Amino acid sequence: MDNIYLYMIIALAILAIADLVVGVSNDAVNFLNSAIGSKAISFKTVMIVASVGVAVGAVFSSGMMEVARKGIFNPSEFMFNEIMIIFMAVMITDILLLDFFNSIGMPTSTTVSIVFELLGAAVAIALVKISAEGGGFTDVINYINTSKATQIIFGILLSVVIAFSIGALVQWISRVLLSYNFQEKKPHVGALFGGFALTAITYFIFMKGLKGTSYANESFDILGGGTMSNFLETQVLYIVTGCFLFWSLLSYIFIAFVKANIYRLIIIVGTFALALAFSGNDLVNFIGVPVAAYNAFLAWSASGVAATEFPMDILAAKVPTNNFLLLIAGMIMVLTLWFSTKAKKVVKTSIDLASQSETKERFQPNGLSRGFVRFAVMMSDSFSYIIPASVQAKIDKQFVAPAIDLSKDKVKDMPAFDMVRAAVNLMVAAVLISIATSYKLPLSTTYVTFMVTMGSSLADRAWGAESAVYRVAGVINVIGGWFFTAFSAFCAAALVAYLLNLNLTIMFPVLLLAAFVLLIRSTVMHNKKSKEVKAEDSLIKAESSSVQGVIQESAGNIANVVNRGSKIYSNAIKGLAKQDLLSLKKNKKQVDKLSEEVEDLRDNIFYFIKNLDESSVGASDFYISVLGYLQDMTQSLEYISKVSHKHINNNHKKLKFNQIKELKEVDLSIEKLFDETNEVFSSKSFEKIGGILNNKSEVFGLLTEKIQKQVKRTRTEESSPKNTTLYFGVLLETKDLLVATMNLLEEYHNAHDASIEPATIPTSSHGEEE
């Protein structure tokens, strides 16, 4: 039995590596979003700066493991075997929970997850002990550090509100003072901003990045005798004043003489600082539990006492972490930063919600988001009556973003926000986290950095009338996910701890295997989904300014729609024939995705028309017509897929043999037409379109024949109204699908003929036309 604890230590070490990977994938959003979103520096440079910060933070990590050893529960109340169960339950739960959030691209807090997992597992084991001893529920207070848990919960709620409010206020003031033409301001304006921002970030490095390390507690000899200990805490004013003067002077030199962009420097230093602090302090969230378990195991092994009789008082003492272990952890985090696709997905969510420009909205509006936007509009209207019109006009002028020259810049290549907002995000997050650290207030760096970003977005008017409800809905979803983190972490860890306690020998390998299977399955599914998205080759927005250019660019989209449309139509018919509900449900999702992509192309029409020069305005008519026909095609496919799924889902009568046979004949005809169309547009052999158009009467004739047959059947033998409705619905919508396809082909045929140079007419030897 004692050997099982050695196996648990080995398992915890493996879980620690897995937790480092999923943890970094989640927390990368804290220090990457401002630099990546502003595109102040190249992506490669961002990653190098962040990697250096993570590596340095890991090496100089304080290794503060108190939260894992005694921050949430009282270790002296538990025996070694119980502590090992608690720690194993926490690690199994943590990697699964964080991986779930990473897979859906939602940032959450590793601090909150580890705290509530410790709390849940400790409560479960405490209740088991209380039950066995015949105690009451109120006795749980003897086992749990309730004051600390309460403090953390209130800290979360408070940090969310404060971070959002302060981020919004500082961004509004910064924009009013600097506007979007910040680089044209006088050198002293940029120097003062640089002084404030870099001072905040530097102090943040000291307070959050190095506080708690052996370096922060160094004593300094003072001239004239004596020493000064705890320099960071006792000399705050001197540090801040000295940093402000140094950075302001350096900023002025950079702007006035070197002609450098001080905002770019702020973003580089801020990215490094947040990466340093993340690695130096949040490392406890990933390896704190395994390290505490290892310390407990060493103490128990040396004692010679039975696991059920060895109290865990040793965990109340502070034990330094091995530096080599910290270095290995740092390297794992750096590698994850570079290669994790899930990390990029989480970062993208934050950047999209903060974007100044139009972006594909991930979240659908809800009642709360609509209510918030209406309230914000009402408050804005109220202030417009209070503030004088002249003052309001001057303020509004500062918020006017420069026009985008679409002839030079593609929308997708534009930064999500400018360098002022990126600098404010880093500066405010650094200040708030530094203040909380100095007062020993618990908070989540993820919550603070995310809410500062959202607050600055609101103040910067990034959430306009066209995007506000979507962005606010996204923020509400993320915040809701945070509370779900706390609740699910508590419940899941408690359940796992209880199961382990029932029979450790059996449940330990079973639960561990289940955790790894789920983790591997999640990774495989994520990679498969990523490959499918790439292989599917989503529709491309047109950016050409001529008819000929649009013809060439749109050819790929049409081939894509026709190819996917052919599969969707065939799957609908096959699903009806086999009454395969699962296949029809999957088919419905595919057509919804296709319809959404076509809708995205239509949403881009504004930018497409803006991009046109005066001589090529005709391209807009052609492009709008093409998108209209593509939308008609997807709407027909959507209807056919929807009614087919509805018919089978409602358990209506199966179509008759003749009906299925006729639908399959139509399907073969449609498949042939779409294959030919796909070939034409894939190879851009537009001269072959005429041949397809010449055969259109054949497929229309087939449809008319099937409709007439069903009319005859209905009058003589058909007895099911539902079958008749479904059959006519599919055939009539297929006819609409064909009409849209033929109209599209004719539009392309005419536009292609008109856009190419007339061919030279060959002549006979007599000089006459042949």
Side-chain angles (χ1 to χ4, degrees):
M1 177 66 181
D2 287 350
N3 286 335
I4 196 169
Y5 298 113
L6 176 60
Y7 299 142
M8 290 177 78
I9 291 295
I10 295 170
L12 284 169
I14 297 170
L15 289 170
I17 296 172
D19 208 30
L20 278 169
V21 173
V22 295
V24 173
S25 298
N26 177 82
D27 281 5
V29 69
N30 297 349
F31 49 87
L32 292 181
N33 60 356
S34 293
I36 293 175
S38 64
K39 295 191 175 181
I41 49 180
S42 68
F43 179 76
K44 186 177 180 180
T45 305
V46 173
M47 296 300 286
I48 291 171
V49 170
S51 298
V52 173
V54 167
V56 172
V59 173
F60 290 99
S61 173
S62 62
M64 291 187 300
M65 305 302 169
E66 282 78 5
V67 71
R69 288 199 299 266
K70 60 177 181 178
I72 303 303
F73 56 84
N74 300 318
S76 59
E77 297 293 331
F78 296 94
M79 298 301 162
F80 172 71
N81 64 314
E82 296 162 343
I83 284 291
M84 290 299 291
I85 288 173
I86 291 172
F87 288 161
M88 182 56 67
V90 167
M91 292 304 292
I92 289 174
T93 306
D94 199 53
I95 59 170
L96 294 178
L97 184 67
L98 291 180
D99 186 68
F100 167 74
F101 275 93
N102 295 342
S103 298
I104 61 174
M106 298 277 274
T108 191
S109 170
T110 52
T111 303
V112 170
S113 64
I114 204 78
V115 163
F116 278 89
E117 283 153 5
L118 284 164
L119 186 61
V123 166
I125 299 301
L127 290 175
V128 170
K129 285 171 67 73
I130 291 167
S131 176
E133 295 167 2
F137 181 77
T138 54
D139 292 339
V140 77
I141 197 170
N142 298 323
Y143 296 85
I144 306 302
N145 192 340
T146 52
S147 61
K148 186 70 173 180
T150 305
Q151 189 184 19
I152 289 172
I153 294 169
F154 280 108
I156 292 167
L157 296 171
L158 201 60
S159 67
V160 166
V161 176
I162 291 176
F164 185 86
S165 305
I166 300 297
L169 178 63
V170 175
Q171 177 59 37
W172 188 85
I173 294 170
S174 299
R175 187 62 73 196
V176 169
L177 294 175
L178 298 172
S179 76
Y180 280 93
N181 300 316
F182 52 91
Q183 295 197 63
E184 298 175 9
K185 298 292 180 181
K186 293 181 179 180
H188 71 271
V189 176
L192 286 174
F193 185 85
F196 277 114
L198 290 169
T199 298
I201 293 167
T202 305
Y203 188 65
F204 169 79
I205 292 174
F206 289 135
M207 288 303 301
K208 185 68 176 167
L210 300 178
K211 183 179 172 64
T213 67
S214 57
Y215 302 92
N217 297 323
E218 289 287 341
S219 297
F220 297 92
D221 291 327
I222 304 173
L223 292 175
T227 59
M228 182 180 293
S229 59
N230 296 326
F231 184 76
L232 285 182
E233 295 184 7
T234 57
Q235 304 301 319
V236 173
L237 183 60
Y238 290 110
I239 293 173
V240 170
T241 305
C243 285
F244 177 70
L245 293 174
F246 171 78
W247 286 118
S248 296
L249 180 61
L250 187 65
S251 299
Y252 187 84
I253 294 170
F254 262 63
I255 298 169
F257 301 106
V258 184
K259 304 298 181 184
N261 188 330
I262 193 62
Y263 302 94
R264 186 172 284 118
L265 176 63
I266 294 169
I267 292 166
I268 291 172
V269 176
T271 301
F272 171 81
L274 285 175
L276 172 77
F278 151 73
S279 180
N281 286 263
D282 290 0
L283 193 61
V284 65
N285 299 338
F286 314 131
I287 67 171
V289 167
V291 168
Y294 181 64
N295 292 336
F297 177 77
L298 290 179
W300 169 73
S301 299
S303 70
V305 180
T308 56
E309 298 175 5
F310 186 68
M312 285 286 95
D313 303 82
I314 187 174
L315 292 182
K318 183 172 182 178
V319 180
T321 307
N322 185 286
N323 287 330
F324 182 69
L325 182 62
L326 294 175
L327 178 63
I328 292 173
M331 292 303 100
I332 293 171
M333 289 194 290
V334 169
L335 290 172
T336 303
L337 198 61
W338 280 90
F339 298 108
S340 173
T341 56
K342 291 183 179 180
K344 295 178 179 66
K345 188 175 180 181
V346 177
V347 172
K348 187 177 185 303
T349 298
S350 180
I351 291 174
D352 285 348
L353 289 174
S355 178
Q356 190 78 33
S357 58
E358 292 296 317
T359 181
K360 185 177 179 180
E361 306 294 352
R362 275 190 53 194
F363 301 93
Q364 292 302 312
N366 52 47
L368 277 175
S369 69
R370 294 188 185 100
F372 180 89
V373 171
R374 290 194 188 100
F375 176 75
V377 171
M378 184 180 68
M379 291 296 292
S380 177
D381 292 341
S382 301
F383 279 115
S384 66
Y385 291 112
I386 299 170
I387 301 172
S390 58
V391 176
Q392 185 70 46
K394 288 181 180 178
I395 293 173
D396 290 342
K397 186 179 178 182
Q398 299 296 88
F399 284 85
V400 176
I404 300 172
D405 187 355
L406 291 173
S407 62
K408 296 179 181 178
D409 302 303
K410 296 180 180 179
V411 176
K412 64 183 180 182
D413 295 330
M414 297 298 293
F417 40 81
D418 71 348
M419 285 185 270
V420 167
R421 178 132 64 95
V424 167
N425 290 343
L426 293 165
M427 174 178 63
V428 174
V431 169
L432 292 178
I433 297 169
S434 299
I435 292 172
T437 301
S438 65
Y439 284 101
K440 296 181 174 60
L441 296 174
L443 51 72
S444 165
T445 53
T446 303
Y447 292 0
V448 170
T449 52
F450 181 83
M451 292 311 296
V452 167
T453 303
M454 295 304 105
S456 66
S457 305
L458 175 65
D460 213 23
R461 303 184 182 180
W463 299 353
E466 310 212 355
S467 63
V469 288
Y470 303 100
R471 305 284 175 86
V472 175
V475 175
I476 291 170
N477 273 279
V478 172
I479 294 174
W482 295 346
F483 287 99
F484 173 76
T485 299
F487 176 77
S488 56
F490 181 93
C491 296
L495 176 62
V496 174
Y498 176 74
L499 293 174
L500 287 171
N501 185 72
L502 286 178
N503 191 322
L504 186 60
T505 308
I506 295 175
M507 297 309 298
F508 162 57
V510 169
L511 291 173
L512 189 64
L513 180 63
F516 279 117
V517 167
L518 289 172
L519 194 61
I520 293 168
R521 179 176 175 270
S522 168
T523 304
V524 170
M525 287 181 67
H526 175 78
N527 292 337
K528 184 180 177 183
K529 192 174 180 182
S530 299
K531 287 177 182 177
E532 283 177 356
V533 170
K534 290 178 183 176
E536 204 170 56
D537 204 12
S538 298
L539 306 185
I540 308 298
K541 296 173 183 176
E543 292 174 337
S544 293
S545 57
S546 66
V547 174
Q548 185 62 30
V550 175
I551 286 174
Q552 296 295 325
E553 281 188 355
S554 298
N557 284 344
I558 293 169
N560 192 324
V561 171
V562 168
N563 182 43
R564 290 159 68 180
S566 177
K567 292 176 183 176
I568 289 166
Y569 188 87
S570 294
N571 289 338
I573 302 305
K574 289 174 185 174
L576 275 175
K578 297 179 180 178
Q579 291 189 300
D580 188 348
L581 184 61
L582 189 64
S583 171
L584 289 171
K585 187 177 180 181
K586 187 178 179 181
N587 200 48
K588 198 160 165 282
K589 288 182 180 178
Q590 291 297 321
V591 75
D592 286 344
K593 189 174 185 304
L594 179 61
S595 182
E596 185 182 333
E597 289 181 30
V598 172
E599 190 62 34
D600 284 343
L601 292 183
R602 289 178 66 86
D603 290 342
N604 192 57
I605 285 177
F606 170 81
Y607 297 102
F608 171 75
I609 294 174
K610 280 276 193 180
N611 190 31
L612 295 174
D613 52 45
E614 290 297 327
S615 62
S616 304
V617 175
S620 63
D621 294 333
F622 171 72
Y623 187 56
I624 291 168
S625 297
V626 166
L627 291 184
Y629 294 135
L630 287 179
Q631 188 173 47
D632 290 343
M633 291 170 68
T634 55
Q635 284 176 346
S636 295
L637 290 167
E638 211 170 356
Y639 177 84
I640 292 167
S641 179
K642 181 182 174 183
V643 296
S644 302
H645 176 266
K646 182 181 176 182
H647 187 87
I648 303 301
N649 196 33
N650 289 340
N651 296 308
H652 294 316
K653 282 185 180 179
K654 184 180 180 181
L655 291 176
K656 293 186 176 180
F657 175 79
N658 286 336
Q659 291 175 317
I660 292 172
K661 182 182 176 184
E662 290 168 10
L663 282 178
K664 285 186 175 180
E665 288 176 26
V666 173
D667 179 31
L668 286 172
S669 180
I670 295 288
E671 188 176 354
K672 181 184 175 184
L673 169 67
F674 277 14
D675 284 347
E676 290 175 356
T677 305
N678 183 29
E679 175 61 30
V680 164
F681 285 96
S682 294
S683 61
K684 297 183 180 179
S685 307
F686 304 122
E687 67 279 357
K688 296 180 181 178
I689 294 177
I692 299 175
L693 290 171
N694 290 336
N695 297 327
K696 70 177 182 179
S697 58
E698 181 182 331
V699 67
F700 276 112
L702 178 65
L703 272 174
T704 303
E705 177 194 333
K706 303 307 178 190
I707 291 171
Q708 289 173 351
K709 280 188 176 182
Q710 180 60 26
V711 169
K712 186 177 179 181
R713 273 198 297 265
T714 304
R715 292 178 60 83
T716 57
E717 59 188 72
E718 186 63 71
S719 61
S720 173
K722 295 293 183 184
N723 278 18
T724 302
T725 302
L726 171 68
Y727 192 77
F728 276 130
V730 170
L731 288 180
L732 292 173
E733 206 61 44
T734 302
K735 193 172 184 180
D736 289 345
L737 173 64
L738 286 172
V739 169
T741 305
M742 292 302 171
N743 286 341
L744 175 66
L745 290 169
E746 286 176 3
E747 186 79 31
Y748 240 87
H749 184 61
N750 297 335
H752 177 257
D753 286 351
S755 64
I756 58 176
E757 292 292 328
T760 304
I761 302 175
T763 57
S764 67
S765 58
H766 301 288
E768 298 176 351
E769 294 182 1
E770 291 182 343

